[in-house]
Amino acid sequence: MVVHIVEDDEAVADALAIVLEDLDHHPITYKNAESFLAGAAPSSDDWVIVDIGLPDRCGTEVVRELMGLPRPPSILAIS
């Protein structure tokens, strides 16, 4: 399972990644919605942690796009 972290605050993204690594998960961080949407291909087994207050594109738009996938990943929205 991969945990995709979409968070523009580098300190928050790093802290989440460290905790998830300690729990034996594989985190990948993205500093904005565009880099996530362009580079990630989350499976239904993955998790996506998305910041609602992203600067380039609202996190709710990312959630809507993910929910439109045939088999969406699990999603956790943070702010």
Side-chain angles (χ1 to χ4, degrees), residues 6-62:
V6 188
E7 171 59 66
D8 62 309
D9 185 326
E10 190 175 339
V12 173
D14 288 346
L16 287 169
I18 289 168
V19 169
L20 290 164
E21 285 173 347
D22 286 346
L23 296 171
D24 294 326
H25 295 296
H26 178 72
I28 301 174
T29 61
Y30 306 86
K31 52 182 145 179
N32 56 49
E34 294 306 320
S35 64
F36 168 69
L37 295 171
S43 74
S44 60
D45 294 328
D46 293 343
W47 275 83
V48 177
I49 299 174
V50 60
D51 179 10
I52 295 300
L54 295 170
D56 62 331
R57 192 167 171 186
C58 181
T60 55
E61 291 178 35
V62 176

